[in-house]
Amino acid sequence: MERAAAMFTCWGAALGAAVSVPVLLLVAAPYIRKYVAGGQCKSTAKLEGKVVIITGANTGIGKETARDLARRGARVIVACRDIAKAEAAASEIRADTGNQQVIVKKLDLADTKSIREFAEKFLAEEKELHILINNAGVMLCPYSKTADGFEMHLGVNHLGHFLLTFLLLERLKQSAPARIVNVSSLAHHGGRIRFHDLHGEKSYNRGLAYCHSKLANVLFTRELARRLQGTKVTANALHPGSVSSELVRHSFVMTWLWKIFSFFLKTPWEGAQTSIYCAVAEELDSVTGQYFRTLHSDAFSPHQLQSKAVPSHQHPAI
């Protein structure tokens, strides 16, 4: 009898857990989702008369950033390698926002010739540039090189944007106040600048290659902000959070993990909020050299950029 009672108790506990855990998850789901979503940019700033370039704006957070800035009235240049996909995205944004000033331009960040051609045409056609958002990126690529022989992550994520920014810098200064927004990642904490093997020819790990390139984004932002002091052109970097997007398309495992755990990932719209905040928030007019990340509320936290990592010091949240 005692053995039967014990078994009955165990089965009762197991059944209770089987029922209570799903119920608890169901109750907690809205709170979990709100935590994952993070902050939302509350700025109501209008951008009529402003010119914006967003790289990689045909999908993911770049597309949602373009949609938001177009809705604010900006002339948005969608700078992408895949013209057909970019035209489809631009058409959707124009229809959604009513802003017909959403323009597609060819830009392949894996080819310095394409970058120079893009910059040359832009400078010939546009007299001002107020916001440059270096958003495009690749992640977890098998080992490959750009048209100029750079390791793909470093070449696209950092060097391509470095050259683009350099070529457009004088126009940004002429249009000041202006902003440069570099989309980095929390993964920069795992990065190192490996000068002895900058292009991964001696050893290569696709995950670490991504981390290295994101660290390069952070270091670039820090030095750029220093050099631009007094010009009224600011430079800030950001971590958008873990976003359900096409960024993991080069990894079969990560693609499936992203699908399985999509509930715990930001949507592209949620992931775009930090980029939008850095691009439009009035209180950031003179803020530069910072690394922003979304808090798990309607606020964003800036950190002073350091050479390797971001310190724990936090400014008051907005």
Side-chain angles (χ1 to χ4, degrees):
M1 287 293 292
E2 291 181 0
R3 186 175 180 180
M7 288 182 64
F8 181 79
T9 301
C10 289
W11 278 107
L15 182 61
V19 172
S20 61
V21 170
V23 171
L24 287 173
L25 287 174
L26 188 63
V27 171
Y31 302 97
I32 296 172
R33 195 68 199 77
K34 184 178 180 180
Y35 180 87
V36 169
Q40 179 180 342
C41 179
K42 297 295 188 181
S43 172
T44 58
K46 299 299 181 183
L47 298 178
E48 286 90 353
K50 304 296 185 182
V51 180
V52 179
I53 293 176
I54 308 175
T55 66
N58 60 346
T59 187
I61 65 174
K63 180 180 175 181
E64 294 306 320
T65 303
R67 191 192 310 273
D68 183 278
L69 302 194
R71 187 172 284 118
R72 295 171 188 269
R75 177 176 172 83
V76 179
I77 310 298
V78 176
C80 298
R81 178 179 57 84
D82 189 332
I83 291 296
K85 197 170 183 179
E87 288 287 4
S91 178
E92 178 187 322
I93 293 170
R94 287 192 290 264
D96 185 32
T97 64
N99 184 347
Q100 299 305 305
Q101 295 297 302
V102 180
I103 313 299
V104 172
K105 298 291 182 182
K106 171 80 172 179
L107 173 65
D108 185 352
L109 290 163
D111 186 346
T112 57
K113 181 180 178 182
S114 174
I115 298 168
R116 292 183 184 278
E117 288 176 349
F118 170 87
E120 183 179 350
K121 290 179 181 178
F122 175 84
L123 294 173
E125 296 170 0
E126 304 287 345
K127 301 306 178 185
E128 294 182 300
L129 175 58
H130 303 95
I131 302 172
L132 171 62
I133 302 180
N134 291 320
N135 165 83
V138 294
M139 180 181 179
L140 300 173
C141 297
Y143 187 75
S144 56
K145 290 186 175 182
T146 68
D148 303 279
F150 306 133
E151 187 277 316
M152 190 60 71
H153 292 88
L154 186 68
V156 171
N157 296 352
H158 170 57
L159 294 175
H161 283 128
F162 177 95
L163 176 59
L164 178 65
T165 303
F166 173 77
L167 294 172
L168 299 175
L169 204 52
E170 287 306 313
R171 188 55 48 89
L172 284 158
K173 290 178 182 178
Q174 293 166 8
S175 308
R179 303 186 186 191
I180 300 168
V181 179
N182 294 322
V183 179
S184 182
S185 168
L186 189 66
H188 83 271
H189 285 293
R192 297 288 187 277
I193 304 301
R194 303 170 69 247
F195 289 106
H196 66 285
D197 188 22
L198 203 56
H199 300 293
E201 294 170 327
K202 296 178 181 178
S203 65
Y204 179 74
N205 177 290
R206 62 174 73 183
L208 290 177
Y210 177 74
C211 295
H212 301 334
S213 70
K214 293 291 104 179
L215 174 60
N217 292 156
V218 167
L219 298 178
F220 171 45
T221 304
R222 179 180 182 238
E223 180 60 17
L224 186 60
R226 186 186 71 81
R227 296 192 181 205
L228 290 175
Q229 287 179 358
T231 67
K232 294 186 178 180
V233 179
T234 62
N236 291 296
L238 64 96
H239 168 55
S242 297
V243 182
S244 179
S245 71
E246 297 178 7
L247 189 61
V248 297
R249 64 188 180 277
H250 293 290
S251 170
F252 177 81
V253 173
M254 288 297 291
T255 298
W256 275 101
L257 287 175
W258 249 229
K259 289 180 179 179
I260 293 169
F261 296 104
S262 60
F263 182 80
F264 299 99
L265 300 174
K266 292 185 178 185
T267 65
W269 180 85
E270 292 164 350
Q273 295 305 304
T274 315
S275 295
I276 296 166
Y277 175 74
C278 289
V280 305
E282 298 93 332
E283 60 269 32
L284 300 187
D285 281 345
S286 59
V287 174
T288 191
Q290 301 285 319
Y291 172 90
F292 286 84
R293 63 182 178 84
T294 180
L295 295 177
H296 300 293
S297 62
D298 289 331
F300 299 86
S301 174
H303 299 261
Q304 181 65 42
L305 293 176
Q306 299 296 318
S307 60
K308 175 59 189 75
V310 180
S312 58
H313 170 70
Q314 288 192 11
H315 297 252
I318 62 168

